[in-house]
Every structure is written in structure tokens, then in C-alpha cells.
Amino acid sequence: RTKQRPAFYLRWLATLLGDLHQPLHWLAEKNFGEEVKISFRGEDHTLLQFWEEYLPKQLPELPVISTLDLEYKAQYHQWGRRSPPELFRQWAGEMSDKVCNEIYGPMYVNHGDGSRSIETPFVLTEELFSKWLKLAELVIQEGGERLALVFLDIIEHRRHKAAKDEGRGLLPPLLDQIPAASVAATVGGAGTP
């Protein structure tokens, strides 16, 4: 049973990080999008269904591994030496901003009396669909990069703990010694704000 515990915690952590990068899981308003009806290309969906079922099937293929690796390294330097709780807070803030401003924001109509509402059904334009598709691609890639960072950090901590227990020290990972500017230049600025 003791050996099952770490696996359980890793699954829980992977689920938590994945959920962190599902934008509609951040806003309980309108039952996480389940109460928002949208119409797109003659089909009706709830907003939640659209984001969890329709959009993922429309995503392009992943970039080649070498490109993803360079983008990850560029992000790695941006995350710096912050602790996981600090990073989780930052990532949560970014995701809540995306759901409010990039998903719900364009759907709302402001009325003269100061109220605002979403048309029922909301007719999704091709332009907004294209923006949402890019956003979905971005948050999935960010989720993968961030999960990799957390898992690699756990592995690194375990290596250092084992080395300490054996009475020897370890050098920091090689990735820390690569200047962020050279990585960003190699990627062409991808993954940097």
C-alpha cells in the first residue's frame, strides 16, 4: 500500500493541473457553462460541452517534439525559482483572466439599464470560434508544459534527497545554466510574453 500512495498523489496532481487548464472549470457562474446555450454551424451545444467535447476535436496536430522542447525551455526560465504554490497562484490568475475576458467577455451584451446578459442561444461567429480554438490550443500546451515542470521538479527533489542521504551533493540541472535569452532567440520568441 505504501508504494501505491505516491502513484495516487501523482495522479491527483496531474488531474489538478489538468483541471487548472480547463477554463470553464474556473467560473461557477452559469453552472460552469452548462446553462449557456450556443449555436455554431447549425448545431446547438452548451458552452461546457463545446469546450470539453467539440473544441478538442478541432485542434491541429501537435508541433514536432523539438519545437515543444524549445518552447518548454523558454517557459522554464520565465517561471524562475518560484515555488509551486506561487506558480499555481500565478497560473490560476492567468486562467481566470482568460475565462472572464476571452470566453465570457465577448458573449455578454451590456444593456442601457446597466445589466448585461448572454443571448440564448449565443450564436458563435467564425471569428470568435477561431480565437477560442487558439486559446484551447494554448491552454492545453501550457498545461502540458506546467505538468512537465512540476513532475521534473519532483524528480529533481528526489535525486537531491537521495544524494544528500548518500553524503554527496548534486549540481543544479543543466537547463538552469542555459541563458533564457538564447533559448527565446532560438525559439523565435515563442512562449514568451
Side-chain angles (χ1 to χ4, degrees):
R1 284 190 162 225
T2 323
K3 290 185 179 183
Q4 290 177 343
R5 272 193 122 153
F8 170 79
Y9 292 132
L10 285 176
R11 281 193 306 272
W12 179 82
L13 183 60
T15 301
L16 177 66
L17 273 164
D19 206 38
L20 173 72
H21 291 86
Q22 176 19 306
L24 292 177
H25 292 190
W26 276 96
L27 191 60
E29 181 180 336
K30 308 224 183 271
N31 196 22
F32 300 95
E34 191 64 34
E35 296 171 5
V36 177
K37 307 298 180 206
I38 65 170
S39 178
F40 182 64
R41 296 179 181 165
E43 294 181 16
D44 293 330
H45 310 268
T46 68
L47 184 60
L48 184 63
Q49 287 171 330
F50 193 80
W51 270 86
E52 292 194 344
E53 297 170 19
Y54 186 85
L55 269 179
K57 294 176 185 173
Q58 310 306 312
L59 291 169
E61 289 188 29
L62 290 173
V64 294
I65 296 296
S66 58
T67 301
L68 290 172
D69 190 43
L70 286 172
E71 290 175 1
Y72 170 78
K73 287 177 181 176
Q75 285 294 338
Y76 179 91
H77 288 287
Q78 187 180 18
W79 294 320
R81 291 277 180 215
R82 285 176 270 173
S83 69
E86 291 174 298
L87 289 171
F88 278 41
R89 277 192 297 276
Q90 175 190 335
W91 298 338
E94 291 171 5
M95 194 55 58
S96 62
D97 181 63
K98 287 173 182 160
V99 73
C100 290
N101 296 317
E102 297 180 49
I103 297 174
Y104 276 101
M107 297 176 73
Y108 273 103
V109 174
N110 294 321
H111 302 288
D113 64 359
S115 66
R116 58 189 210 144
S117 64
I118 297 174
E119 298 283 327
T120 301
F122 176 80
V123 179
L124 181 62
T125 64
E126 290 291 333
E127 179 184 1
L128 186 54
F129 168 74
S130 178
K131 288 178 182 178
W132 282 1
L133 189 61
K134 288 178 185 167
L135 179 61
E137 187 176 9
L138 173 70
V139 298
I140 288 170
Q141 183 168 334
E142 286 176 342
E145 290 171 351
R146 292 165 177 180
L147 181 61
L149 172 79
V150 171
F151 279 2
L152 289 172
D153 193 49
I154 290 169
I155 291 168
E156 190 64 24
H157 280 284
R158 290 183 64 106
R159 282 179 5 108
H160 281 269
K161 182 181 182 304
K164 178 186 166 257
D165 292 347
E166 295 170 5
R168 56 186 179 86
L170 289 177
L171 295 173
L174 176 62
L175 192 56
D176 287 342
Q177 299 170 14
I178 302 171
S182 67
V183 172
T186 305
V187 174
T192 57

